[in-house]
Amino acid sequence: MRVRVITVSPPEHDQWVFGYGSLMWNPGFSFLERVEARLIGAHRALCVYSFHHRGTPEKPGLVLGLDVGGSCRGIAYRVAAADWPATHAYLTEREQISGVYREATRRIRLLDGSGRDSAATVYLVDRAHAQYARGLDHAAQFHLVRGAHGKSGPNCDYVLSTVASLREMGIDDPGLSWIAHRLREGHA
């Protein structure tokens, strides 16, 4: 599937982007501010088959998606208005490669003690998409992650980097931590 890039004019104000997976540890764009934040209404889940970045169609990996319900702590990046068109183009190419994510604007709470809320660009998983990995248990997730490798590198590196980033924020995701522990221990 070829992604159609739409030219975006600079907005009047700086824009926020919410990261919950690899955007937390590898944003890939310039930003003015990096702040822990909370999104209400979606949670982080290892629920997307990766056919490009962390796997292939023949040997898919698994990556995170924002799935319906709950809440998610992550990282919000404030992008200068003048940089937004280039940042948006980059994010579209990175996040919309197969259409499994839907770009949306949602309210986030910045967790820097300021009490600020802001609108942010987020990427929600499309549950109707063929790459949505519904109902996999931790063992099945581990099996996929352990053996997959894509354009952006080994799937295990993605999970281990995400778990390390979450731990820096004081977050323990039991499922991701279980998978990371097994990856570090070299379980088959």
Side-chain angles (χ1 to χ4, degrees):
M1 173 179 187
R2 187 87 169 117
V3 175
R4 186 174 66 122
V5 177
I6 298 170
T7 303
V8 176
S9 299
E12 291 182 31
H13 305 286
D14 296 345
Q15 302 292 303
W16 288 92
V17 175
F18 181 75
Y20 57 91
S22 63
L23 285 176
M24 293 190 308
W25 45 269
N26 182 26
F29 55 85
S30 298
F31 51 88
L32 299 172
E33 193 174 359
R34 179 186 188 275
V35 179
E36 286 189 31
R38 179 180 310 280
L39 170 71
I40 303 294
H43 66 279
R44 177 186 298 105
L46 199 57
C47 65
V48 175
Y49 291 114
S50 178
F51 298 157
H52 182 75
H53 286 295
R54 298 294 175 166
T56 64
E58 299 77 29
K59 193 163 189 158
L62 275 179
V63 293
L64 295 163
L66 281 175
D67 206 353
V68 177
S71 68
C72 181
R73 274 181 53 204
I75 300 294
Y77 298 95
R78 184 168 59 93
V79 177
D83 293 338
W84 182 245
T87 299
H88 186 261
Y90 166 77
L91 289 169
T92 298
E93 185 175 323
R94 175 177 168 164
E95 301 297 328
Q96 304 286 35
I97 196 160
S98 68
V100 69
Y101 297 111
R102 293 179 293 112
E103 182 181 301
T105 301
R106 295 287 188 269
R107 301 286 314 160
I108 58 169
R109 166 65 52 106
L110 302 176
L111 302 177
D112 59 357
S114 68
R116 293 181 290 172
D117 284 348
S118 187
T121 298
V122 301
Y123 294 91
L124 305 167
V125 69
D126 178 356
R127 288 178 144 215
H129 197 279
Q131 285 178 250
Y132 179 64
R134 181 182 310 276
L136 298 177
D137 65 20
H138 297 320
Q141 291 173 344
F142 168 74
H143 176 74
L144 287 166
V145 167
R146 180 192 61 202
H149 190 285
K151 175 185 168 189
S152 297
N155 200 178
C156 59
D157 290 353
Y158 171 90
V159 170
L160 293 171
S161 294
T162 300
V163 168
S165 190
L166 291 171
R167 285 209 174 122
E168 288 174 11
M169 297 168 58
I171 299 171
D172 178 34
D173 180 302
L176 287 177
S177 293
W178 183 87
I179 293 167
H181 173 75
R182 291 184 62 88
L183 290 170
R184 285 191 296 269
E185 296 295 315
H187 291 277

